[in-house]
């Protein structure tokens, strides 16, 4: 059965954003080109690692001898996107993800696949017309400047959660925090 691919070759917008209060936020990777928009849910750790690895790829490209790509070291000001997520309709929750570099187009490539829970009665999955699920994935190709801006915003969004307790390092809830100090 063919896979339903939500593909964005040169997206107008690609961001990580959240819905909910710190401590109960849901993270989304949202991509839009024109009127086509896809939002997939991610874990906070997936979001943080995605930003870290994108920056690593871009930083490695800068150091390549004879590098033909113009990779910015910082976020181009014209690509800063601090706007809220657009209307969110979750396509799927990401499980496996891959990250790569396409030298033919000078783009960072993200692939995301849904968590496969094996529940045949899951109504959130696209149907193939015969009662089965259609496998799907998200494929995003973004130029280096957009990728740098994406990584910066993602780090800011991840860091905007609950503050860490100075004693134990665990997040502090708005209504307080009780931690157990390690025994000396």
């Amino acid at each position: 059965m063919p896979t339903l691919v939500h593909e964005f070759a040169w997206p107008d917008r690609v961001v990580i954003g959240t819905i909910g209060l710190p401590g109960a936020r849901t993270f989304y990777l949202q991509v839009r080109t024109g009127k086509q928009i896809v939002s997939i849910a991610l874990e906070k750790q997936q979001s943080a690692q995605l930003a870290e690895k994108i920056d690593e790829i871009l930083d490695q490209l800068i150091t390549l001898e004879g590098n033909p790509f113009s990779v910015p070291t910082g976020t181009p000001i014209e690509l800063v996107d601090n706007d809220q997520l657009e209307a969110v309709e979750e396509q799927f929750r990401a499980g496996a993800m891959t990250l790569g570099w396409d030298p033919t187009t000078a783009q960072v490539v993200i692939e995301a696949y849904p968590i496969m829970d094996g529940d045949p009665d899951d109504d959130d999955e696209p149907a193939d017309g015969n009662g089965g699920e259609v496998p799907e994935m998200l494929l995003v190709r973004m130029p280096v400047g957009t990728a740098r801006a994406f990584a910066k915003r993602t780090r800011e969004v991840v860091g905007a959660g609950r503050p860490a307790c100075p004693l134990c390092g665990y997040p502090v809830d708005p209504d307080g925090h009780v931690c157990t100090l390690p025994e000396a």
Side-chain angles (χ1 to χ4, degrees), residues 15-16 27 47-48 50-51 149-159:
V15 295
I16 294 284
F27 285 74
S47 303
L50 193 56
F150 173 87
K152 179 181 185 293
R153 175 191 167 117
T154 300
R155 283 191 310 278
E156 291 169 355
V157 168
V158 167

Side-chain angles (χ1 to χ4, degrees), residues 5-85:
V5 178
H6 306 283
E7 184 172 1
F8 295 84
W10 293 88
D12 296 331
R13 185 175 198 225
V14 55
V15 295
I16 294 284
T18 61
I19 294 178
L21 298 173
R25 299 185 296 172
T26 301
F27 285 74
Y28 290 96
L29 168 57
Q30 187 172 78
V31 190
R32 177 179 50 78
T33 298
K35 293 185 185 272
Q36 178 190 11
I37 187 167
V38 170
S39 304
I40 64 168
L42 300 173
E43 294 296 325
K44 179 179 181 178
Q45 294 79 8
Q46 285 175 303
S47 303
Q49 185 139 33
L50 193 56
E52 179 184 330
K53 296 300 180 186
I54 286 173
D55 274 339
E56 283 180 17
I57 288 172
L58 297 175
D59 291 345
Q60 286 175 1
L61 287 170
I62 290 172
T63 64
L64 286 178
E65 180 127 357
N67 175 19
F69 309 109
S70 177
V71 179
T73 55
T75 301
I77 192 71
E78 66 275 8
L79 297 177
V80 171
D81 182 346
N82 292 321
D83 293 338
Q84 296 292 322
L85 292 174

